[in-house]
Amino acid sequence: DGALVHYPYYAFLLGDMHSYFMSIPFQLAYIALILALYLKSRTGIPFNRSDMLLTVFVLSVSLGFFFILNTWDYPTYIIFTISAFVLLRIWSRVRWNFIIPVAIAVLSFILYLPYYLAGRMSGFAGIGLLHSDLRTSVAELLEFCAPFLLIIGTFLLILLKQEALYSKKAVIVAISIFIAVVMVSIFCHFQLLLLVVPIGLISLSAVFAPKMQPEKKFLLLLIIMAMALAFFCDFAYIDDVFTGVWERFNTIIKLYSQLWIFLSLAAVYAVYAILNYWIKVCGKEKVLKVSWIGLLSVVLVAALIHPVVSTVSTTSGRDTSWQLNRGTLDGMAYIEAVNQGDYEAINWLNRNIDGTPVILEAPGDPNGYSSIISSFTGLPTVIGWQTYEIVWRQDWDAVYNRSIEAD
């Protein structure tokens, strides 16, 4: 209840320009930077001081940029950076190496200090504990990312077998933990613990396996980050203007975008690792292999129904909500259909107005036909989408006064 999730493809199909989707390529680039640094550190090639300083600077600039681009990403990737250095032992031979990720995090803030001092808007009002009635069910999480979880779960089971990560003592401990998790999930109405805790603990223990391949360790780090995000979203929420059943609306839609990235990257390599394992065992597990591929195929086909159908619906012109009966990439086509006067006014302004003078337009409401002139000319207006301004500025009086003046 009170939550909304967009998977990346659908958001791109809608032309969604929210910052948490625009940041996706930057997130991928930053993860790639950490991976490259990790793999290089495993080669044994020594880092000289200038290389280390340059690396710290590049990571700090990249990390700090998240606060400006999409603030929700900044704390996540600070944790990711620190976790990578600690769990993967990046630059483990360097004296005081544990200080390096902290220095990167601090420097990422200092480098963008002018931005913070400028007093930019913020909708952050603290962190609240989520009510148990609002938590995500296992079925809802599977609806969001079932293919990824199936692949990752299979990968971890194979990893347990390959690396012999279990013993009698470990099995007893695992059973005890699982029983405790089941009891907590029942009494606290916290279903996701049944997935998050086992997957997270297995991944965490596997990271420290002495013979684990470097690329697999990095994959495990991605899984750990995904499970941590899923846990946080069902344990707490970022407090903002939304209340009641909608109190975690922004937390879910923003952090689940990151969760999707971590899970999808992990699943891609996990598929390769799973198939490579079955090639090595040849025909010993043929029935199991065929069954798994069949199950995965069914899950993938089910997951692809909505992307395919939504693409056809969006591009075929069958969506007539804006009086369009054709597919088009022209973002102004619907304006021409519903309000010819606005369409001609926008074109005239774009042809004849130089600079960025402020225009007066009726106060806007989100996700509807409002603030059209400002949106399609790029000219600033007195007040745009009122609700969004209130959410991020937390200043009801300022928004209200502007709305009254504009009216």
Side-chain angles (χ1 to χ4, degrees), residues 132-133 135-136 183-192 234:
S132 60
D133 292 340
R135 289 189 173 126
T136 306
M183 294 177 64
V184 172
S185 66
I186 292 174
F187 289 111
C188 297
H189 303 285
F190 204 144
Q191 289 190 27
L192 288 198
D234 263 34

Side-chain angles (χ1 to χ4, degrees), residues 81-135:
T81 303
I82 294 174
S83 299
F85 273 85
V86 174
L87 297 181
L88 304 183
R89 302 191 67 191
I90 297 175
W91 288 350
S92 58
R93 299 179 182 178
V94 178
R95 184 180 297 180
W96 306 104
N97 67 305
F98 62 90
I99 297 179
I100 295 175
V102 177
I104 292 172
V106 173
L107 187 58
S108 72
F109 177 82
I110 294 174
L111 289 173
Y112 292 90
L113 198 57
Y115 177 84
Y116 299 110
L117 295 177
R120 303 298 179 184
M121 60 185 181
S122 172
F124 178 75
I127 297 177
L129 297 180
L130 189 67
H131 193 277
S132 60
D133 292 340
L134 299 178
R135 289 189 173 126

Side-chain angles (χ1 to χ4, degrees), residues 100-177:
I100 295 175
V102 177
I104 292 172
V106 173
L107 187 58
S108 72
F109 177 82
I110 294 174
L111 289 173
Y112 292 90
L113 198 57
Y115 177 84
Y116 299 110
L117 295 177
R120 303 298 179 184
M121 60 185 181
S122 172
F124 178 75
I127 297 177
L129 297 180
L130 189 67
H131 193 277
S132 60
D133 292 340
L134 299 178
R135 289 189 173 126
T136 306
S137 67
V138 170
E140 289 170 334
L141 185 67
L142 291 176
E143 185 179 356
F144 175 68
C145 55
F148 300 152
L149 292 177
L150 174 61
I151 294 168
I152 289 169
T154 305
F155 167 77
L156 291 177
L157 290 176
I158 291 176
L159 203 62
L160 287 174
K161 180 179 180 180
Q162 278 186 314
E163 303 295 333
L165 298 176
Y166 54 89
S167 61
K168 289 184 178 180
K169 183 178 179 181
V171 170
I172 294 173
V173 172
I175 293 174
S176 302
I177 293 175

